[in-house]
Each structure stands twice: as structure tokens, then as C-alpha cells.
Amino acid sequence: MLIPLDNSYARLPEMFYARALPTPVAAPRLLALNVKLAAELGLDAQALASPEGMEALAGNRILAGSEPLALAYSGHQFGHFNPHMGDGRAILLGEIVTPAGKRRDIQLKGSGPTPYSRRGDGRAALGPVLREYIVSEAMQALGIPTTRTLAAVASGETVYREDVLPGAVLTRVASSHMRVGTFEYFASRGEKNMLRILADQAIARHDPDLTEAADKYEKLLERIVIRQARLIAQWLLVGFIHGVMNTDNMAISGETIDYGPCAFMEAYNPSTVFSFIDKQGRYAYANQPSIAVWNLTRLAECLMMLFEPEAEAPERANAALASFRPHFQEAYLNGLRRKIGLFEARENDADLASDLLERMAVNEADFTLTFRRLCTAAQDKTADAGVASLFEDPASFAGFSDSWRARLDSEGGDPAARANTMRKVNPAFIARNHRVEEAIQAALKDDLEPFHTLNRVLEKPFEDQPDFQDYMLPAHPDERVTQTFCGT
Ligand code: AMP
Ligand code: MG
């Protein structure tokens, strides 16, 4: 069987979804198949790449055992509650259980309208599909929890946005598609029983060890809070900006989901915003932790309805939410420590790291390159020049490097080993916006070579890859991407 599907979500009450079949596309053409992911999932890549496989990935053929669904959810979009959302351009084909025993959703994105589409066409344009492919797989290679991309298929049809664009269908793989907004959907309708069924489904899927716990819904909330705290810390440590952290775009699995206007920051600036629609900078780089808490507070308001005794619910919800800060701080500070080569935790480490970050901000130093070059400087002081050259005022780096080096010396250890360990957390390669853009522009002209090359480079972000030095570099001023679009 091409994809042996099982459908636990389809066995939930009807209020959880709307049945919807993918709408066939005119002329499907396989653009990319993630062969490694297929293997992890226990799927036969060759069969998926066959005409029959491709038809399934395009939504032109319904897989045996599939019960295609569009999931219902609500969401706070830029702070405003929208009770009527749901998968408007995505269809869950079903779930598979991997050889490692993990249950994964298989979803088509851009596969045509569903009952939740409202005025949308249910389709996706080629650019955003390739963008999600590149960035989600880059996140995976960086070790950051994320939904995955199994395939991208050109539809042979056009979609009408601001321009007329070629369409495509993406196959997304996720450990689930339950979002904060899914809980809001039932809570806002006063459907306490449905909410309990959803929470139980979430526990079964992500936290099965809680099944028998007396206070399982509080524990579930706490788990989700902690997963998000760690996730957002990881985002910050690689300069990732999600761009549209609405509650419907926050997965309770703790995976990064819904790649829209996301981007990696180049010059370090905590207030960086790329998304064209984020006029107020609500989802700016440095706001991401507090926005996560805001979203999780919306989740707590839902899950609280299940807490007992009711009188203690607010207090308990607050206690679970309060675990965000310490877990975030710990993950972020430990991450920064590793980035600057500190193996021992000491009192002033946060100040030392902040000092570097502040100097980087003032001097518009490239976030990724600064940390990557710092690895060599940790081993060899003469490499300081390479780091300093990334700063507008190179002398500014010296102020940090003196105290940093004194701190490294006081810790001792083998400098070469330290540099190597640092290289495992400071990527040489991130999905730089101009490279993503270049890959998309070429693909629009039927040249997929830059897309495949970029994916290959991003598969090994922590290796030097001398043949691809240029991919390490920030955009030239004329290549710089300053705005990104949802581009749905
Ligand atoms: P997103 O920007 O991906 O978070 O999407 C927000 C909401 O709009 C979700 O409910 C989507 O399903 C819906 N949506 C986005 N684009 C389309 C489209 N082209 N057709 C139908 N619904 C869409
Ligand atoms: Mg979304």
C-alpha cells in the first residue's frame, strides 16, 4: 500500500471536522520528494514518485483507507478572535504509524476548497509551497521541532493572488494538527464535553503517560507550555522569526507549524519584523516569548474549564502558565552559553551574552556569521578579526572579546574541542531569505536546480561545506529581502 492510513481523528465526533475530498488538479508534476523523510516514515519513495504516487500527492487519487478531512478550529489572529476558521486549504488524508511507532498526520496543503474555505480558493501558490519545503526541512536539520515536508507537486493550474501564479500542493507531515485554536473552537462554543474529548485526544497523542493522572488536564497544559517555552528559545537561538504567531498557528505538539511569512534574521536586531501584514510588530523577533505566553493564556482559559475543583481552576492555570518563564530562560540561557563556548554555568553568563548581543545590535552584525566565526576565535585569537569585521565598528567587538576570553581561560579545557562543540550549535548555514527567493524565482522558470542545491546545503547546517561558502553570506544590499508575505 502506498501510504497505509489509519484515522484516529476521523473517529472523533463530527464537530471536529468536515469531510472534504481533495479537488483534482489539471496536470500534476512532481517537483520534489523528500526521500529521507519517506524512509523515516516507512514509505516507499519510488512508489511515491511513480505516476500513481504523484497522483495521490496531488490529490487526484484518493488513497485506499483515506478518510479525508478538514479540521475545525478557531483562532486569535493578531489579537482578534475569529471563531470560524478551520482548514480552508488543507486536507488531512489520515495518519500513519512510522516504523519507530510514531503516529504522524499526512496532510495535503493547497488541495482545493473545503467547507471552511469561505472566499478562499483552497489552493496554494508554488512560491510559498517551496518556501515551506525549504524552511521546514532547514529547521529539522537545525534540530528544531517542526512539521515536515514530504513532497511538493506542481498543479499545472494557476492561482489568482495579486499576480497570476502557478499553483502547487504540499504534503505536510506533522505529529498532529491540534492547535491552540482547536481548543478555542470548542471552548468558545461552550462545548465542554467536546473540549474534554479533544484534550483526551491530545493526551493520547502527545502525552500518553498522563492518561491516568488525576490532574491530567493541568499537566497537559503545563506540558504544552514547556514545549512552547523550549521551542521559542530554539527559534531565538537561530534568529528565526515565525511571523504569524496567531493561536491557530501554534501547535500543541510543540512543533513549528504554518510557515508563512517566516524568515531568518540576518543583521541582529531584536525588533526585526519581516511580515508585510505585521504593521505593529506584534510578532517581532524579540516579542516571540511574550506572544507565546499570550497564546498559551488563551489555551489556559480553555483547558481551565476542565479543571476540578472549579474554584481552584484560575490559580492552577496560572501556575501552569508560570512554568513558561523559567523553562524559556533556562533553555535560552543554556543555549547562549553553548553558543559562546561556556560549558560551566556561572553567575554572570547572562550579562556576558547580553553584552555581545547588544554590541551586535548596535553594529548590525550578522547573527549567524558572528556566532559561527566565534567558534574559530574561541580556539585562535587571531580569528577575532574575522568576527570584528562583521561589526560596523570593529573595535566594538574587542570590548566583548577581552572579557569573553578571560572567562574561557578561567574555565580551561581544550580550545580545539571547545571550538568543535561550538560548531555543533552555531550553524554555518541558515535558510537566508535571498537564497530562498533565488530558489523560488528559478523554480518559477522551471529550473529546480537552485532549490535542490539549497536543500542539500541546509541539510548539514553545522558542517563547513567549503564548496558552498557563498551560501553562508548575508544578502548584498541589492538582494536583501525586507518584507515577506503570507502568499497564500
Ligand atoms: P494561515 O495564514 O495559513 O494561518 O491561514 C489562516 C486561515 O485562512 C486558515 O483557516 C486557512 O485555512 C485559511 N486560508 C488561507 N489561505 C486560504 C486559501 N487560499 N483558501 C482558503 N482558505 C485559506
Ligand atoms: Mg494557519
Side-chain angles (χ1 to χ4, degrees):
M1 199 180 285
L2 198 59
I3 306 182
L5 292 166
D6 177 62
N7 306 290
S8 68
Y9 216 83
R11 292 193 282 274
L12 295 173
E14 284 192 355
M15 203 182 163
F16 278 70
Y17 49 77
R19 302 214 180 252
L21 294 175
T23 307
V25 300
R29 185 165 53 91
L30 187 64
L31 298 171
L33 177 69
N34 190 335
V35 173
K36 284 189 184 150
L37 176 59
E40 270 174 57
L41 298 171
L43 302 176
D44 178 349
Q46 248 180 328
L48 288 173
S50 72
E52 195 187 53
M54 188 190 60
E55 295 224 312
L57 297 171
N60 285 22
R61 198 170 66 82
I62 305 302
L63 290 161
S66 178
E67 294 176 60
L69 306 175
L71 273 57
Y73 52 85
S74 302
H76 276 86
Q77 300 178 293
F78 290 90
H80 301 286
F81 187 59
N82 180 350
H84 306 286
M85 294 184 71
D87 289 333
R89 55 164 166 160
I91 292 180
L92 178 69
L93 298 181
E95 302 143 25
I96 59 168
V97 179
T98 71
K102 301 215 163 26
R103 184 173 285 268
R104 292 286 179 268
D105 278 6
I106 307 286
Q107 189 203 56
L108 297 184
K109 200 167 165 183
S111 51
T114 76
Y116 305 114
S117 300
R118 283 164 294 155
R119 282 188 299 274
D121 59 2
R123 292 297 187 191
L126 178 76
V129 163
L130 295 184
R131 191 182 177 80
E132 173 155 352
Y133 194 124
I134 296 166
V135 184
S136 64
E137 290 305 302
M139 292 291 268
Q140 169 71 18
L142 288 166
I144 301 176
T146 176
T147 63
R148 307 287 306 272
T149 304
L150 179 62
V153 178
S155 65
E157 295 177 0
T158 47
V159 295
Y160 299 87
R161 302 293 181 258
E162 261 148 50
D163 291 317
V164 181
L165 300 164
V169 180
L170 178 124
T171 307
R172 179 156 74 176
V173 178
S175 70
S176 88
H177 281 92
M178 286 176 269
R179 307 144 187 272
V180 169
T182 320
F183 288 81
E184 293 180 290
Y185 182 83
F186 297 108
S188 66
R189 288 164 172 78
E191 295 278 357
K192 194 167 158 181
N193 283 337
M194 295 293 157
L195 188 67
R196 182 175 292 112
I197 293 169
L198 175 65
D200 287 337
Q201 175 80 359
I203 288 170
R205 198 87 187 249
H206 301 295
D207 300 280
D209 59 307
L210 297 181
T211 308
E212 303 297 328
D215 50 357
K216 60 180 174 181
Y217 302 122
E218 289 155 64
K219 291 252 166 59
L220 172 66
L221 175 60
E222 190 183 40
R223 292 277 178 89
I224 298 169
V225 167
I226 293 171
R227 285 197 280 269
Q228 285 297 330
R230 293 189 176 141
L231 178 66
I232 309 291
Q234 285 188 282
W235 288 0
L236 297 198
L237 291 165
V238 296
F240 179 77
I241 304 167
H242 182 284
V244 57
M245 284 177 71
N246 294 334
T247 57
D248 52 293
N249 293 337
M250 183 180 264
I252 59 141
S253 62
E255 289 175 346
T256 312
I257 195 170
D258 278 3
Y259 291 89
C262 63
F264 286 84
M265 177 164 69
E266 296 206 296
Y268 179 65
N269 176 354
S271 55
T272 304
V273 176
F274 285 104
S275 171
F276 174 71
I277 53 171
D278 191 5
K279 300 286 186 209
Q280 312 286 324
R282 178 179 169 91
Y283 300 137
Y285 171 80
N287 275 0
Q288 296 181 117
S290 38
I291 284 295
V293 173
W294 193 92
N295 289 348
L296 291 163
T297 305
R298 304 288 81 76
L299 176 68
E301 287 162 0
C302 303
L303 278 170
M304 257 174 72
M305 292 167 67
L306 305 176
F307 293 4
E308 283 172 354
E310 210 175 304
E312 288 172 20
E315 194 187 320
R316 293 189 183 196
N318 278 325
L321 286 169
S323 14
F324 187 92
R325 280 286 146 193
H327 281 91
F328 170 77
Q329 285 300 347
E330 188 189 61
Y332 182 61
L333 179 56
N334 281 340
L336 282 176
R337 271 197 190 100
R338 287 192 291 271
K339 282 179 89 67
I340 62 174
L342 308 181
F343 301 146
E344 289 169 15
R346 294 197 197 157
E347 191 90 17
N348 296 326
D349 294 347
D351 295 337
L352 187 64
S354 303
D355 179 45
L356 173 61
L357 289 171
E358 276 159 31
R359 289 168 194 272
M360 285 164 66
V362 172
N363 287 282
E364 299 186 17
D366 184 84
F367 184 82
T368 307
L369 273 186
T370 299
F371 285 105
R372 185 68 182 182
R373 291 191 183 171
L374 208 58
C375 307
T376 312
Q379 180 178 1
D380 171 9
K381 190 172 169 19
T382 63
D384 272 23
V387 192
S389 69
L390 300 167
F391 288 60
E392 261 171 15
D393 171 15
S396 171
F397 177 67
F400 164 76
S401 77
D402 288 344
S403 41
W404 174 58
R405 202 156 267 114
R407 170 71 173 78
L408 293 185
D409 289 345
S410 77
E411 201 170 289
D414 173 31
R418 168 179 285 123
N420 275 333
T421 308
M422 288 171 72
R423 287 192 189 97
K424 291 181 182 134
V425 294
N426 290 314
F429 301 98
I430 51 159
R432 291 188 183 267
N433 301 319
H434 66 294
R435 290 288 177 188
V436 176
E437 209 41 50
E438 176 186 66
I440 292 170
Q441 290 311 321
L444 289 172
K445 297 190 187 98
D446 278 334
D447 175 11
L448 282 161
E449 208 39 54
F451 168 78
H452 291 305
T453 305
L454 181 58
N455 284 330
R456 256 196 315 278
V457 172
L458 296 175
E459 233 176 75
K460 298 185 186 114
F462 301 109
E463 288 178 22
D464 275 322
Q465 308 187 56
D467 291 348
F468 296 101
Q469 292 294 310
D470 288 355
Y471 285 75
M472 285 178 64
L473 302 177
H476 287 298
D478 59 326
E479 300 169 319
R480 205 170 282 156
V481 175
T482 53
Q483 276 187 337
T484 52
F485 303 87
C486 274
T488 56

